[in-house]
């Protein structure tokens, strides 16, 4: 699957929202300016491109308050307990180390994560895992499990960055011919590659299949195979099922589906690396401003 679409899609979003065609060097800052026109709370950005790291916040932050008030990720926020300074210091250190870990094992993947993730909300809810939402571009919510170490933080950030990636793609091009609410109907449900054996609404099943690609690649780069072993067959099964719903995908969505099915068939990590590092893939052809 071509993760390099990230840069073209974010650039097109910038062009559409800000009427500016960003250069590759400008993209990180200009993307933050663009999504600030869509978000209820702003993303921090600096004109110094080296000073645009994700903001790390906790259960008493503005984003946590927003999610609580609007019922977003209620299963995470409703059970959140207060965190002390020592806990926050540990979380912050682990998130920072996780980002460094991604950069070390795959600079191209780190570039994608750094571009897409602007805010990280860490809290203890007992619901181990993470979350992201299309109305909150850039925001990753994370509830670390008690046994999590740096690799698990890195996988959570990578997982949610891919969801954010797909949200951008859907906003720019559209992925399905039906709205999300209609994709919940039984006839539009498909196998999940992550919640193995479960049928999920088509958009969620597609997201689940797509996020396995960077997760498997990250583990491949790290020299471990836990998720590769777990997802190889479930991804193939999910792709076969997703392909039976091809008529509900847009032309762009069908292209993504074909790329995903191609990866599932071959599990070619060399190609994944190319799509996030080779300029032929990872560059972009931004739209011309009107």
């Amino acid at each position: 699957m071509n993760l390099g679409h990230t840069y073209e899609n974010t650039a097109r979003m910038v062009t559409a929202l800000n009427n500016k065609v960003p250069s590759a060097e400008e993209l990180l800052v200009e993307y933050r300016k663009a999504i600030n026109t869509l978000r209820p709370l702003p993303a921090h950005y600096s004109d110094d491109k080296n000073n645009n790291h994700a903001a790390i916040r906790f259960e008493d932050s503005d984003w946590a308050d927003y999610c609580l008030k609007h019922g977003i990720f209620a299963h995470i926020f409703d059970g959140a307990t207060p965190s002390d300074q020592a806990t926050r210091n540990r979380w912050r250190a682990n998130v920072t180390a996780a980002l460094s870990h991604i950069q070390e094992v795959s600079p191209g993947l780190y570039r994608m994560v750094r571009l897409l993730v602007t805010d990280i909300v860490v809290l203890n809810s007992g619901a181990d895992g993470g979350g992201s939402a299309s109305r909150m571009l850039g925001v990753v919510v994370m509830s670390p499990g008690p046994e999590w170490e740096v690799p698990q933080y890195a996988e959570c950030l990578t997982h949610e960055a891919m969801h954010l990636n797909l949200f951008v793609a859907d906003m720019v091009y559209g992925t399905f011919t039906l709205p999300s609410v209609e994709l919940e109907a039984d006839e539009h449900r498909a196998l999940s590659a992550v919640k193995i054996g479960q049928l999920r609404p088509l958009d969620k099943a597609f997201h689940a299949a797509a996020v396995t690609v960077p997760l498997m690649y990250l583990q491949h780069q790290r020299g471990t195979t836990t998720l590769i072993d777990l997802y190889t067959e479930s991804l193939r099964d999910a792709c076969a099922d997703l392909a039976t719903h091809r008529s509900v995908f847009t032309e762009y969505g069908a292209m993504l589906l074909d790329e995903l099915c191609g990866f599932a068939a071959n599990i070619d990590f060399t190609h994944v690396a190319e799509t996030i590092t080779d300029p032929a893939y990872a560059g972009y052809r931004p739209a011309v401003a009107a």
Side-chain angles (χ1 to χ4, degrees):
M1 188 174 186
N2 186 354
L3 302 184
H5 292 309
T6 306
Y7 309 107
E8 182 172 354
N9 292 346
T10 51
R12 286 181 177 273
M13 176 174 279
V14 168
T15 302
L17 294 175
N18 291 355
N19 199 36
K20 176 176 182 177
V21 181
S23 67
E25 293 73 22
E26 295 172 324
L27 184 57
L28 188 144
V29 169
E30 293 301 324
Y31 177 65
R32 281 151 175 72
K33 291 179 181 178
I35 63 176
N36 277 352
T37 68
L38 302 174
R39 297 182 3 158
L41 298 169
H44 163 78
Y45 64 87
S46 166
D47 289 333
D48 176 3
K49 65 180 181 180
N50 295 315
N51 191 32
N52 285 290
H53 301 287
I56 303 173
R57 300 289 184 265
F58 306 100
E59 76 280 345
D60 55 357
S61 64
D62 288 347
W63 274 118
D65 185 58
Y66 176 83
C67 288
L68 280 167
K69 287 180 177 177
H70 293 84
I72 303 171
F73 304 128
H75 67 291
I76 298 177
F77 283 99
D78 286 348
T81 57
S83 57
D84 58 27
Q85 193 58 51
T87 300
R88 294 183 178 195
N89 289 344
R90 184 176 71 254
W91 284 339
R92 188 183 296 277
N94 282 330
V95 168
T96 301
L99 290 168
S100 296
H101 175 70
I102 298 170
Q103 185 175 26
E104 180 181 351
V105 301
S106 175
L109 188 59
Y110 170 76
R111 182 183 173 212
M112 184 186 83
V113 172
R114 188 180 178 208
L115 171 64
L116 292 166
V117 178
T118 65
D119 303 81
I120 302 168
V121 182
V122 193
L123 65 163
N124 177 29
S125 72
D128 304 349
S132 50
S134 59
R135 72 174 87 174
M136 295 160 44
L137 287 180
V139 181
V140 169
V141 175
M142 180 187 299
S143 178
E147 305 301 321
W148 279 24
E149 297 182 354
V150 168
Q152 286 69 51
Y153 282 81
E155 288 164 8
C156 182
L157 289 170
T158 300
H159 179 137
E160 298 308 332
M162 189 62 187
H163 282 303
L164 295 170
N165 198 358
L166 293 169
F167 292 144
V168 172
D170 190 55
M171 290 180 184
V172 172
Y173 289 107
T175 310
F176 301 99
T177 59
L178 297 175
S180 182
V181 66
E182 293 188 32
L183 296 178
E184 295 178 5
D186 288 345
E187 64 266 29
H188 298 311
R189 289 178 175 260
L191 283 173
S192 170
V194 175
K195 295 184 177 181
I196 299 174
Q198 293 187 27
L199 292 173
R200 303 200 68 203
L202 188 61
D203 52 347
K204 293 178 175 59
F206 178 68
H207 268 241
V211 300
T212 66
V213 178
L215 286 175
M216 293 167 74
Y217 174 69
L218 180 64
Q219 285 212 342
H220 170 76
Q221 290 297 100
R222 197 168 72 233
T224 56
T225 65
T226 303
L227 294 182
I228 299 170
D229 297 339
L230 180 64
Y231 292 146
T232 294
E233 290 303 319
S234 68
L235 176 59
R236 288 173 180 160
D237 291 343
C239 282
D241 199 9
L242 287 166
T244 68
H245 299 270
R246 188 182 183 87
S247 63
V248 188
F249 285 80
T250 63
E251 182 178 354
Y252 178 79
M255 178 191 72
L256 295 182
L257 176 62
D258 289 344
E259 291 176 352
L260 183 59
C261 291
F263 173 78
N266 299 306
I267 313 296
D268 185 352
F269 293 117
T270 299
H271 180 65
V272 175
E274 289 175 347
T275 68
I276 54 178
T277 57
D278 188 328
Y281 293 101
Y284 61 82
R285 302 176 299 281
V288 176

